[in-house]
Structures are given as structure tokens and as C-alpha cells.
Amino acid sequence: RDMFMMYFNFGECKWTHALHCAVFYKIFANAPGLFHVFKWAEISGMLFIWGAVAYQLTGRLMTFFLVPAIALSFHYLYDQFFFLSTHETTGLLFFGLAVLCAVRALFGSVGVKKHSHLWLWIVAGFCLLLSLGAKETFVACGFALGLSVVILYWLSPPSKGRYLWGGLLLATFFVLYGLILKKFISSAYTAHYSFFDFSKIAINFKVWVLKDLLNHMPWIAMI
């Protein structure tokens, strides 16, 4: 609770991260070296989950190994092995589980019972909430998932049309959550954001090109 309130007073709403720190910092308080081993297991699990998502979407076993390989070629990922803060790792782990459950519900075999689909959606929703509590930027991920479901509706036969409203509700929820964060929670945060600060947007775009795009350019070129 104290750790959550510390973040909250800084304008950050990170209940999952606060709980993660409170539990595992205490467990590994006397064995910090083992904490790095635990983080290695967490990151490995996260990569395994996203590999499974790629395999479920494509049906190609190669993608199960290709996605983790692409992630591991991004050298900034290795910061997560050495620094104890696990915002991104925890968020990506739970968001990956949410996407995996959603993909299974949307593209699962015909023989899967309806109540199984319902449980998959429930687990997906729970994991989405946990990813939100890891870092605020996962609002964008949840919105992207909802929008993807909406696009799936337009590309799918009428039998999948029922997912249109679910996708719209999911995207709307994350937009509203983001607005609540902006209006009522992040007001105490020292940084400020503006959609019209074009000079800062240009600087951030340049950083993205140098840090992210160039790192992934070999994979883009191969595709």
C-alpha cells in the first residue's frame, strides 16, 4: 500500500508494479542475485508468450522462435536483465497473456465450447487490467487491441460480426481510462504532455528513429 501511494502521489497509477515490488523485493531481500535469475525467468516467460501469440496468428512454428529473436536483437531489452525496475516486463507479460487469450477466443477451433470462449475473454480482460497497472503507456496497447478486434470485424465473415461491439467497448474503455489518468491522476506528475508541442514531438520522433527504427531495420529489410 505504501509503495502504491508513493507512486500515486507522483501522479502514477501502478498497482500491479507496486504489488510486484512489494512481494518480490521482500522475497529476494536477502538474495538479490536470485532476483536477477527470477527476472531472467520473467523475461523468458514474456518472450515465450509473445512467441505463442505469433504462432497462434500465423500457424507457422518458425514465428514462435522468430518473435523472441527479434525482441532479443533490440539491445535495450537487456536493460531489463540488470535493472530491478520491471515496468515494461510485467506489462508486456500480462498484455501478452491478454492477447493470447483473445486470439484463442477469436480463432480457436470450432469444437471449443462457448463457455470456454467466455472464460478466455474474462482472463484476457483481467490480464489487460494487470498490464494497465504496470505502466500507464499500456493504455495505448489496450486501445490497439480493441481497434484490432474492430478491424477484424470488417475483414471477417458475418459470423464474427458480434465482436464489433466488444472491440468498440474495449477501445472506448481505454480511451476513457487514459483521459481519467490525464485529468485526475497525472496532475501531480512533474512532466506535462501536449498534442500541440510540435518541437517536442519532432525530438521524440527523432529519438524513435535512432533508437527503435534503426535497431529493427534489418528485420524490416528481410521482410
Side-chain angles (χ1 to χ4, degrees):
R1 179 180 177 274
D2 292 339
M3 188 166 289
F4 170 77
M5 291 307 301
M6 180 188 71
Y7 283 119
F8 192 78
N9 290 332
F10 279 111
E12 303 176 19
C13 192
K14 298 178 179 176
W15 65 85
T16 306
H17 178 64
L19 181 62
H20 184 280
C21 292
V23 173
F24 293 108
Y25 281 17
K26 186 173 182 179
I27 291 175
F28 296 104
N30 297 320
L34 289 178
F35 195 9
H36 289 284
V37 176
F38 172 74
K39 284 199 63 179
W40 173 84
E42 268 193 323
I43 296 170
S44 299
M46 179 266 292
L47 294 174
F48 177 87
I49 289 167
W50 280 103
V53 169
Y55 174 68
Q56 289 291 324
L57 286 172
T58 63
R60 298 182 179 181
L61 186 60
M62 181 185 68
T63 59
F64 183 86
F65 303 99
L66 183 61
V67 169
I70 292 173
L72 289 169
S73 70
F74 186 59
H75 65 86
Y76 292 100
L77 173 68
Y78 294 92
D79 292 344
Q80 293 290 307
F81 288 97
F82 303 106
F83 298 104
L84 295 180
S85 175
T86 55
H87 301 68
E88 293 81 9
T89 300
T90 308
L92 285 170
L93 191 150
F94 285 116
F95 185 68
L97 284 173
V99 174
L100 183 61
C101 290
V103 168
R104 288 292 297 165
L106 289 167
F107 301 106
S109 60
V110 179
V112 177
K113 297 180 180 179
K114 289 185 177 180
H115 70 269
S116 298
H117 285 254
L118 177 62
W119 278 110
L120 284 171
W121 284 117
I122 291 173
V123 174
F126 181 67
C127 289
L128 280 175
L129 290 176
L130 291 176
S131 70
L132 273 180
K135 197 170 186 178
E136 291 84 349
T137 47
F138 281 93
V139 170
C141 296
F143 175 76
L145 179 59
L147 198 61
S148 298
V149 175
V150 172
I151 294 173
L152 175 67
Y153 161 76
W154 295 109
L155 300 178
S156 300
S159 61
K160 291 190 181 294
R162 63 186 181 276
Y163 295 120
L164 171 66
W165 293 109
L168 287 173
L169 286 173
L170 187 62
T172 302
F173 168 80
F174 279 93
V175 169
L176 292 175
Y177 184 84
L179 292 173
I180 291 171
L181 282 177
K182 173 68 176 174
K183 182 68 176 177
F184 299 106
I185 298 177
S186 67
S187 57
Y189 197 54
T190 54
H192 297 281
Y193 304 93
S194 172
F195 291 109
F196 304 103
D197 190 345
F198 296 110
S199 61
K200 180 175 276 189
I201 292 173
I203 293 172
N204 289 334
F205 180 75
K206 181 180 178 180
V207 172
W208 173 79
V209 170
L210 296 175
K211 180 179 178 180
D212 299 304
L213 184 61
L214 290 181
N215 273 275
H216 291 98
M217 188 57 70
W219 295 106
I220 296 173
M222 288 176 62
I223 294 172

